[in-house]
Amino acid sequence: SFVLSADFEELYQHLTDALPQEWAIVALYSLLYHNKSFKQFVFAKSDVDTIVVPLLQMLHLQSDLQANKVYMALVILVILTEDASFSDTLHTRLTMEKVPWFTHRSLNDISLGSLSTVVLVRTVKKNMAQGRELHLVTNCLGALVNMAPNAAQLHPAAAQQITELIALLTRRFTRVLKTAAEAKQGAAANDGEDYDEGGELEMVSEVVRLSLQIAAASLNDRALASNKHLIYSLLYQRSSALLPLLQSRRFDDIVVPLNAFLDAIETGISEEETNTGVEATVRLIEGLVLHSKTTLPSIAISPAKFQYEEQESSESFFIPYLWDIILSLDAIPFLVTKDEDGAEDVYSNECKEAKQQGTAVMTAGNAFEGGGGSGEVL
């Protein structure tokens, strides 16, 4: 039998130097998913910022969220965050003093975990404004849910993004719930015709639940005081983010204990607060948590765990996608030639047929539904 050996350190360096080029993203995905030894090698690395930062930068700057490389980058993040130690490394050991490519606000001294949170939540919000690709929302939230139990020292920007996401999804859920109730009434008047009990309401409900799990899991006993900015953000936006959800019984297992915890914090603030400035309030919240930890209502939950799995028909996504990458790189010279003017690539009929195979399912959205794979909730 033939055994191919490789220097993982050299391979890792070569791939991370090339990120976020598309061929490097796909090669990294293939190694992480299909080679357990390489995956464990990556988990043991201390410089995983060389993988994560280029992917986050690409996601942040990418205008076309339906691009295949967006799908692949998110899958890589889901795979990596399956490991708790990896998520812990992002939140507690890797920090960026500045993020020059993030121009929406100043992000100074931000952990890689908080930066991942900011970029992934913004990607979800951008997707909701563009076209609501379900696979993108699922993979972004899947990575965030995987990281949440290890979240620590969340940056104010990350805390704000989590709360704003919950508020955005809460508004969406409220609208869909109202529409579903009206549709149900209309269907009842027409002997139940044209009413679907599931559909969009169930989909939005699941996304809302995942966003709530991100917040609640980040406020576990171990990291409660260190995530004081998230407590502050939830406290001062709960009228739009949490309270409307109490009208529905779907999320009581998370919203009720979370709201009770915030009630206790608010009571403590009202009894002791003398300065209403943000920083003073945040320091007061930290003190309340540290000194009243045993008496505060618990928010203990068991968040979902996302694990990526390729589907059986994954080749219908990967074959044409890989041919596109190969041909774009002129990686097979005998298949790629130039015309007399050197104006455009011409390649053999066999190459064209291979490239065209499975074109109908080549987009990232179709890959999620029946080609590349998906984030499975365990």
Side-chain angles (χ1 to χ4, degrees):
S1 63
F2 176 75
V3 178
L4 177 65
S5 61
D7 183 334
F8 280 171
E9 186 64 47
E10 184 177 349
L11 183 59
Y12 180 89
Q13 186 66 47
H14 189 58
L15 287 174
T16 54
D17 286 347
L19 288 174
Q21 294 182 57
E22 200 153 7
W23 71 264
I25 291 176
V26 176
L28 179 60
Y29 158 78
S30 182
L31 285 165
L32 287 172
Y33 186 74
H34 295 287
N35 191 309
K36 292 182 179 179
S37 296
F38 182 80
K39 185 178 180 181
Q40 292 305 314
F41 169 81
V42 171
F43 286 151
K45 296 285 290 181
S46 60
D47 62 342
V48 290
D49 53 312
T50 55
I51 292 178
V52 176
V53 173
L55 296 183
L56 293 179
Q57 182 176 359
M58 182 274 290
L59 289 172
H60 178 66
L61 300 177
Q62 180 70 26
S63 57
D64 178 16
L65 293 182
Q66 296 187 37
N68 289 324
K69 64 180 179 180
V70 171
Y71 170 75
M72 297 306 303
L74 291 174
V75 167
I76 288 173
L77 292 177
V78 171
I79 292 173
L80 292 175
T81 56
E82 291 171 12
D83 183 78
S85 64
F86 180 89
S87 298
D88 183 70
T89 296
L90 293 187
H91 278 286
T92 62
R93 301 179 187 177
L94 296 174
T95 303
M96 294 183 68
E97 292 184 6
K98 295 183 182 298
V99 188
W101 44 265
F102 193 93
T103 58
H104 296 277
R105 64 174 289 178
S106 178
L107 296 179
N108 299 325
D109 298 320
I110 185 171
S111 73
L112 212 51
S114 286
L115 181 60
S116 300
T117 300
V118 170
V119 172
L120 289 174
V121 172
R122 286 183 59 85
T123 301
V124 171
K125 290 158 70 175
K126 190 188 333 183
N127 173 72
M128 292 180 67
Q130 284 186 5
R132 302 175 191 166
E133 290 287 341
L134 179 59
H135 79 277
L136 186 146
V137 174
T138 303
N139 286 331
C140 283
L141 295 183
L144 289 169
V145 168
N146 284 349
M147 286 195 298
N150 297 98
Q153 300 292 343
L154 279 172
H155 192 277
Q160 181 181 359
Q161 287 296 323
I162 291 172
T163 308
E164 287 181 357
L165 176 63
I166 296 173
L168 176 64
L169 293 173
T170 295
R171 290 193 296 271
R172 178 63 183 162
F173 170 77
T174 302
R175 289 197 299 270
V176 173
L177 185 63
K178 181 180 178 181
T179 301
E182 292 172 350
K184 186 173 184 178
Q185 291 176 355
N190 292 286
D191 298 324
E193 295 179 1
D194 301 322
Y195 173 65
D196 180 9
E197 183 76 35
E200 188 175 12
L201 179 60
E202 293 305 318
M203 181 184 70
V204 174
S205 296
E206 183 58 29
V207 174
V208 170
R209 174 169 290 278
L210 290 176
S211 69
L212 290 170
Q213 287 184 356
I214 293 166
S218 298
L219 297 179
N220 60 73
D221 290 343
R222 182 179 64 87
L224 198 56
S226 77
N227 288 332
K228 51 192 177 292
H229 290 289
L230 179 58
I231 299 173
Y232 174 86
S233 184
L234 288 169
L235 183 62
Y236 285 91
Q237 294 190 55
R238 65 169 167 166
S239 61
S240 59
L242 297 177
L243 295 184
L245 297 177
L246 289 174
Q247 300 175 22
S248 170
R249 312 300 297 182
R250 292 171 179 258
F251 314 107
D252 279 2
D253 56 320
I254 302 178
V255 176
V256 170
L258 187 55
N259 198 55
F261 170 81
L262 294 175
D263 278 338
I265 294 294
E266 187 172 44
T267 298
I269 291 174
S270 64
E271 292 175 350
E272 299 186 29
E273 187 172 29
T274 57
N275 187 330
T276 57
V278 174
E279 290 302 320
T281 303
V282 170
R283 288 195 298 270
L284 181 53
I285 289 173
E286 183 178 24
L288 287 170
V289 171
L290 289 173
H291 295 102
S292 309
K293 197 171 185 179
T294 58
T295 59
L296 289 171
S298 174
I299 323 173
I301 68 163
S302 298
K305 182 72 174 177
F306 274 72
Q307 182 175 336
Y308 173 82
E309 292 183 5
E310 275 188 7
Q311 296 184 4
E312 292 182 0
S313 58
S314 60
E315 67 277 1
S316 61
F317 167 71
F318 283 109
I319 289 176
Y321 182 32
L322 290 174
W323 274 112
D324 262 355
I325 295 174
I326 291 169
L327 295 173
S328 71
L329 296 171
D330 287 358
I332 309 181
F334 64 85
L335 288 180
V336 184
T337 61
K338 301 288 184 178
D339 62 15
E340 293 180 358
D341 299 324
E344 87 181 271
D345 292 338
V346 180
Y347 43 92
S348 69
N349 290 331
E350 291 81 1
C351 182
K352 289 180 181 179
E353 290 174 4
K355 178 179 179 295
Q356 291 168 355
Q357 181 179 355
T359 299
V361 291
M362 188 173 166
T363 65
N366 285 331
F368 173 75
E369 296 171 0
S374 63
E376 301 290 342
V377 183
L378 299 183

